[in-house]
Amino acid sequence: MIIEKWGIFEQAFQGRSDGNPFIDYEIHGTFSHEKELLTIDGFYDGDGIYKIRFMPSFEGEYHYEITGTFSDKIHTGTFTAAAPSGNNHGPVSVYGQHQLAYADGTPHYSLGTTCYTFDLQKEPIINETFEELKKGYFNKLRFCIMPKHYDFCLHDPEAFPYEGTPVDISALTRENFSQYNGCPKGNDWDFTRFNPAFFRIHDRTIERLMELGLEADLILFHAYDRWGFSQMPMEDNLRYIRYITARYSAYRNVWWSLANEYELLRHLSVDDWEQMAAVLTAADRYGHLRSIHNCEIFYDYSKPWITHCSCQRCDHYKTTETTAELRKLYGKPVIWDEVGYEGNFPHCWGNFTAEELTRRAWEALIRGGYCGHGETFLSDDNIIWWCHGGRLKGLSGPRFRFMMDFLKDVPGHGLKEGEVRDDIHFQWDDKVAVPEEEAYEGEYYFFYFSIWRPPFRQIYIDDDTWYDAEIIDTWNMTVTPAGRHKGRYELKLPGTQYIGIRLRKCADQRINDEYIG
């Protein structure tokens, strides 16, 4: 058998089915390579079938041994991991301190979107969502493992995670949906028996996202619930974490979001979250990215288990403008997974203009962070991107793809906020981004003017270095050459909002001192 490095090796084995296989039996796999030795847990997939999934991190021959109480047999074998191809760059991890990169060193710029329960909808909606994702606007998708109960999210999912029956919703309406929050009477679940058909839906989703080169940011817990899944005892929470890590951690594109708006799960303390995080970290033998998302109170992102800051706005007006402060405070990558949604929702977080959402994304970028997309347009069929997926209706999506293309031209692995220094003559009101790595110092500058509309701008970096200048219109998605310059000069601007100036050091500095336009 041949699979790619960072691909999926999967084997299924017949085993015991008496009693409750989810808690009565175990399956483990040990994988050995000259550079790697890893023992992982497998999972029960129903009908007497146990599965092992493994991601090889090196090329070459692997030997495996499958054991456990699920069977009296010991299964052994070999396979070969071949060189990765196509969009297989490996899993994403932290690069340096504030940036991200794939395992092969390719930079990753986190420009994601949110579709909380799109893969728990009917198949035509799921397929329509993937058609939108093929447009390449985003490189990450945030979605929930558990179903969601909220305004405009009132129907039952196509499947449930446990054996049992849900609360009757024949009387559920938009007017009374909050009365169903939590675990109303009528739910009857066995939290010791997972429903494999439910989790196979997520299997296929993660695989399809991987095929498109998108990261799958899995949200484990959230408070928007009417089935009692947010109210499970800790023992059941920990069993659930172990099951999903055994099932999904071998996929290279998986990220873990321990919770969406963690503090709304008011019965859980920080100690509870830390206990669950410890189990998650130990169970995921590949060390995927991990974080926890807030509503109004940031979690302590300095905790060692957290790899990056997954932020939601904590202020009605100011959000991504605080990116540089968060980088300094926590010393980790800053990703604004929610800053508001483009749309016409009745809730104020969901009726931003496309211009405002796009502006917030650029404000994050020039301060060394990243910002996610979201959309909440009402429609007659009540299919809304933020929860259900379907078809994008807004204007911000293509602007995120333009930002992605812009970032691919940045030297190294991303940007950070430029410092005001005596030897670099920025103006007092300049907001300038420079490459993250010192190796590229002086090679690249990006000035962003946000809501301001200057008709021209004076530029002065130094007396000796030639730069190619370009006017970047982040809204109209245009790049206009503006000449080659050194010393002090003035650039004419269109006098509209959302304009930037990009300066790139000329590779050949042997240029006449005469202005070249």
Side-chain angles (χ1 to χ4, degrees):
M1 177 185 294
I2 299 177
I3 64 169
E4 288 190 4
K5 174 184 177 181
W6 302 313
I8 290 283
F9 171 85
E10 178 177 315
Q11 289 284 287
F13 305 93
Q14 192 71 41
R16 294 183 171 91
S17 58
D18 57 307
N20 182 352
F22 293 104
I23 61 176
D24 292 341
Y25 309 114
E26 298 176 348
I27 177 173
H28 311 286
T30 297
F31 293 80
S32 59
H33 179 278
E34 62 179 352
K35 297 180 179 179
E36 181 175 32
L37 178 63
L38 203 62
T39 298
I40 60 172
D41 294 333
F43 59 94
Y44 183 61
D45 199 37
D47 298 324
I49 300 298
Y50 295 77
K51 289 186 176 180
I52 282 280
R53 289 175 178 161
F54 173 73
M55 179 183 71
S57 298
F58 298 93
E59 296 175 32
E61 187 175 72
Y62 277 82
H63 296 261
Y64 65 86
E65 181 177 278
I66 310 300
T67 61
T69 57
F70 80 102
S71 172
D72 293 330
K73 297 179 181 179
I74 296 177
H75 302 268
T76 61
T78 63
F79 69 90
T80 300
S85 63
N87 62 16
N88 178 3
H89 300 288
V92 176
S93 61
V94 176
Y95 181 89
Q97 188 174 16
H98 296 110
Q99 298 294 338
L100 302 170
Y102 297 93
D104 68 356
T106 302
H108 174 82
Y109 313 110
S110 181
L111 300 179
T113 188
T114 295
C115 292
Y116 282 125
T117 60
F118 84 100
D119 68 340
L120 299 179
Q121 313 303 313
K122 295 186 181 302
E123 194 68 23
I125 298 173
I126 297 172
N127 291 334
E128 192 172 42
T129 307
F130 274 101
E131 287 303 308
E132 291 291 321
L133 295 173
K134 288 178 183 178
K135 295 177 181 178
Y137 298 158
F138 320 111
N139 60 10
K140 185 184 81 165
L141 185 70
R142 297 176 66 237
F143 63 101
C144 301
I145 294 178
M146 296 296 193
K148 181 182 179 77
H149 167 73
Y150 191 67
D151 197 7
F152 297 100
C153 301
L154 303 182
H155 61 276
D156 276 337
E158 291 297 290
F160 287 100
Y162 294 98
E163 292 185 11
T165 55
V167 62
D168 176 61
I169 58 170
S170 58
L172 175 64
T173 67
R174 285 195 58 223
E175 287 69 33
N176 68 8
F177 81 90
S178 61
Q179 298 174 20
Y180 287 72
N181 290 348
C183 186
K185 291 181 179 180
N187 285 295
D188 184 16
W189 305 105
D190 183 349
F191 293 138
T192 69
R193 291 182 180 271
F194 297 103
N195 175 15
F198 173 89
F199 292 94
R200 289 186 204 117
I201 294 172
H202 293 321
D203 292 356
R204 182 56 184 145
T205 296
I206 297 169
E207 291 164 2
R208 292 178 73 176
L209 291 171
M210 188 165 63
E211 291 165 5
L212 293 178
L214 273 77
E215 302 299 295
D217 197 348
L218 305 182
I219 298 168
L220 277 62
F221 296 94
H222 65 83
Y224 301 103
D225 172 37
R226 66 169 177 265
W227 303 279
F229 305 140
S230 64
Q231 307 289 322
M232 295 190 299
M234 182 57 68
E235 179 184 9
D236 297 316
N237 287 340
L238 299 182
R239 183 185 304 109
Y240 159 66
I241 291 172
R242 293 187 181 100
Y243 186 78
I244 61 171
T245 50
R247 189 159 194 131
Y248 301 137
S249 62
Y251 291 103
R252 64 176 177 267
N253 60 328
V254 159
W255 299 21
W256 305 116
S257 178
L258 187 56
N260 192 73
E261 300 180 347
Y262 77 94
E263 72 269 41
L264 298 188
L265 291 154
R266 306 188 194 283
H267 62 290
L268 295 175
S269 66
V270 171
D271 287 343
D272 291 330
W273 289 116
E274 289 298 303
Q275 181 183 3
M276 290 190 287
V279 170
L280 173 66
T281 303
D284 173 18
R285 302 302 306 278
Y286 305 100
H288 289 289
L289 291 171
R290 301 176 299 270
S291 194
I292 185 168
H293 169 276
N294 67 289
C295 182
E296 294 184 336
I297 304 171
F298 287 139
Y299 202 85
D300 181 1
Y301 293 118
S302 66
K303 297 289 187 181
W305 67 269
I306 296 176
T307 57
H308 63 284
C309 307
S310 172
C311 303
Q312 180 169 209
R313 61 174 184 154
C314 291
D315 183 283
H316 285 294
Y317 302 101
K318 186 168 68 172
T319 54
T320 52
E321 294 86 352
T322 64
T323 299
E325 289 89 338
L326 293 176
R327 278 175 43 118
K328 183 177 180 180
L329 177 62
Y330 296 113
K332 295 178 181 180
V334 175
I335 302 173
W336 293 90
D337 282 312
E338 281 189 296
V339 295
Y341 290 74
E342 178 191 0
N344 59 0
F345 232 38
H347 309 296
C348 289
W349 52 263
N351 49 52
F352 286 15
T353 63
E355 291 89 341
E356 175 60 13
L357 180 57
T358 303
R359 180 195 71 81
R360 293 187 178 204
W362 283 93
E363 297 282 6
L365 181 147
I366 62 171
R367 292 168 172 85
Y370 300 97
C371 176
H373 164 275
E375 184 182 288
T376 47
F377 280 102
L378 299 175
S379 60
D380 291 339
D381 59 7
N382 280 330
I383 303 302
I384 305 169
W385 181 263
W386 136 91
C387 187
H388 315 105
R391 183 174 59 85
L392 283 167
K393 304 175 181 67
L395 300 175
S396 57
R399 274 84 190 167
F400 275 76
R401 183 174 59 191
F402 178 78
M403 180 182 291
M404 186 87 68
D405 293 337
F406 172 91
L407 282 163
K408 290 176 181 177
D409 285 334
V410 172
H413 287 76
L415 295 170
K416 65 180 178 181
E417 186 174 55
E419 299 178 6
V420 177
R421 291 166 32 183
D422 292 339
D423 60 333
I424 299 179
H425 302 277
F426 297 150
Q427 298 185 53
W428 70 272
D429 58 349
D430 280 335
K431 187 59 65 177
V432 188
V434 299
E436 182 75 56
E437 292 131 301
E438 291 184 2
Y440 302 102
E441 183 174 353
E443 294 192 9
Y444 183 103
Y445 299 93
F446 178 64
F447 300 73
Y448 181 61
F449 302 110
S450 187
I451 61 174
W452 316 116
R453 304 181 300 156
F456 59 87
R457 199 70 177 177
Q458 293 181 343
I459 303 293
Y460 178 49
I461 302 299
D462 61 42
D463 291 323
D464 303 316
T465 308
W466 286 99
Y467 290 93
D468 284 321
E470 297 166 302
I471 309 302
I472 310 295
D473 187 330
T474 65
W475 176 250
N476 290 309
M477 300 179 287
T478 60
V479 178
T480 305
R484 183 167 290 176
H485 309 268
K486 76 171 182 176
R488 192 180 302 276
Y489 50 94
E490 186 174 282
L491 293 180
K492 184 178 180 181
L493 301 176
T496 54
Q497 293 180 320
Y498 318 123
I499 299 298
I501 296 172
R502 179 167 61 188
L503 303 179
R504 291 192 274 194
K505 182 180 177 180
C506 299
D508 187 356
Q509 289 290 311
R510 296 172 299 174
I511 303 172
N512 250 313
D513 283 346
E514 180 182 354
Y515 167 77
I516 300 176

